[in-house]
């Protein structure tokens, strides 16, 4: 299908809001048909991989449903734990790397996301919101955070990657902040200065570097935190 932005977006007004803190939550970013198609594809997809960099463990394993596809590897996933004393970024979440999908893989709405993000309409929107014409392209992965999944504090700076802004296209319905999974921004003294809870069909965008984390999804969260994430970059 063809993914489309909402016709109601006003990039000029959004730019004014973005300039205040170099970050912004934009609700209703896609038209309703596009948002519905994306969330349906995310919920139906059965080719996720769990990605782990935590507690000294580093691996990515294919899943069948919610368990390891390879016999004997589920113990790796069950044993993965974040080391709370480690200052470097750690994470546990499920991923679908859109730039690495085989050409002959079955197509769905999520398959169209990378082309959509690099199309003229979306790039014009993010250049308009940020006021930054250096944005040349976007990379992307689909992510699924289940109970226990987390991304610890970091600022997204990576030498040679030319990351200008990070973004999160939220595709989670009816989320509550006490379920975790909040995009939390760290301020002075280690306090949370700001935070965006997952919200259906909303785009979060913020400048790089900016220290942030995704808080751990609670054990009692009744659904998954679904999103498309990545960076807006220059060549």
């Amino acid at each position: 299908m063809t993914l489309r932005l909402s016709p109601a977006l006003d990039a000029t007004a959004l730019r004014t809001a973005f300039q205040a803190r170099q970050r912004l939550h934009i609700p209703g970013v896609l038209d309703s048909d596009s948002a519905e198609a994306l969330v349906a594809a995310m919920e139906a997809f059965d080719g996720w991989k769990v990605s782990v960099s935590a507690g000294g463990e580093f691996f990515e394993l294919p899943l069948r449903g919610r368990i390891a596809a390879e016999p004997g590897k589920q113990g790796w996933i069950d044993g993965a734990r974040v080391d709370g004393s480690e200052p470097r970024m750690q994470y546990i979440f499920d991923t679908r790397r859109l730039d690495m999908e085989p050409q002959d893989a079955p197509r769905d709405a999520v398959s169209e996301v990378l082309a959509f993000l690099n199309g003229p309409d979306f790039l014009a929107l993010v250049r308009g919101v940020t006021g930054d014409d250096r944005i040349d392209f976007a990379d992307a992965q689909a992510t699924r955070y289940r109970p226990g999944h987390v991304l610890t504090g970091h600022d997204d700076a990576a030498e040679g990657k030319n990351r200008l802004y990070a973004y999160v296209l939220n595709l989670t319905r009816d989320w509550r902040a006490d379920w975790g999974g909040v995009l939390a921004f760290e301020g002075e003294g280690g306090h949370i200065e700001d935070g965006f809870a997952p919200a259906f069909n909303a785009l979060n965008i913020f400048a790089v570097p900016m220290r942030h984390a995704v808080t751990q999804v609670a054990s009692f969260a009744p659904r998954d935190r679904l999103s498309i994430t990545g960076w807006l970059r220059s060549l």
Side-chain angles (χ1 to χ4, degrees):
M1 69 168 295
T2 300
L3 301 175
R4 295 183 176 87
L5 293 171
S6 167
L9 296 172
D10 181 344
T12 302
L14 293 171
R15 180 177 178 178
T16 300
F18 178 83
Q19 293 302 320
R21 291 192 172 185
Q22 293 291 293
R23 57 178 177 255
L24 189 62
H25 173 85
I26 305 173
V29 68
L30 301 175
D31 72 13
S32 59
D33 288 346
S34 297
E36 292 293 341
L38 280 176
V39 74
M42 294 276 278
E43 292 173 344
F45 184 66
D46 195 31
W48 295 98
K49 295 181 179 180
V50 62
S51 187
V52 172
S53 177
E57 299 289 335
F58 306 91
F59 59 84
E60 195 164 285
L61 292 175
L63 298 173
R64 182 176 294 113
R66 294 172 178 264
I67 64 173
E70 300 178 54
K73 295 293 179 68
Q74 183 60 35
W76 293 21
I77 301 172
D78 294 340
R81 296 287 186 276
V82 167
D83 178 358
S85 65
E86 171 59 65
R88 292 180 298 180
M89 178 183 68
Q90 299 175 79
Y91 54 81
I92 306 171
F93 59 82
D94 298 338
T95 182
R96 176 181 176 182
R97 301 191 184 279
L98 302 180
D99 60 348
M100 298 175 62
E101 292 198 316
Q103 292 298 312
D104 59 350
R107 307 290 291 177
D108 62 10
V110 177
S111 305
E112 309 305 319
V113 166
L114 194 58
F116 165 74
L117 295 173
N118 286 283
D121 291 346
F122 185 80
L123 290 179
L125 172 68
V126 294
R127 289 168 184 155
V129 169
T130 61
D132 195 338
D133 289 334
R134 296 176 300 161
I135 298 172
D136 290 314
F137 70 101
D139 56 23
Q141 64 174 321
T143 64
R144 181 178 72 174
Y145 283 69
R146 295 180 280 129
H149 288 183
V150 66
L151 173 62
T152 66
H154 62 290
D155 65 8
D156 278 347
E159 187 174 355
K161 296 290 188 180
N162 298 335
R163 295 171 176 171
L164 302 174
Y165 304 91
Y167 73 88
V168 182
L169 175 56
N170 296 277
L171 295 164
T172 307
R173 299 183 191 276
D174 304 321
W175 193 266
R176 286 179 10 192
D178 60 349
W179 295 345
V182 174
L183 177 59
F185 296 95
E186 185 177 320
E188 294 183 5
H191 296 290
I192 294 176
E193 182 177 75
D194 199 1
F196 300 146
F200 182 63
N201 190 19
L203 180 71
N204 300 331
I205 182 170
F206 56 95
V208 174
M210 185 177 294
R211 189 161 177 84
H212 63 285
V214 175
T215 62
Q216 189 172 50
V217 176
S219 60
F220 53 83
R223 59 180 62 91
D224 301 325
R225 177 191 188 272
L226 302 173
S227 63
I228 307 292
T229 68
W231 294 275
L232 305 170
R233 298 162 58 183
S234 62
L235 295 173

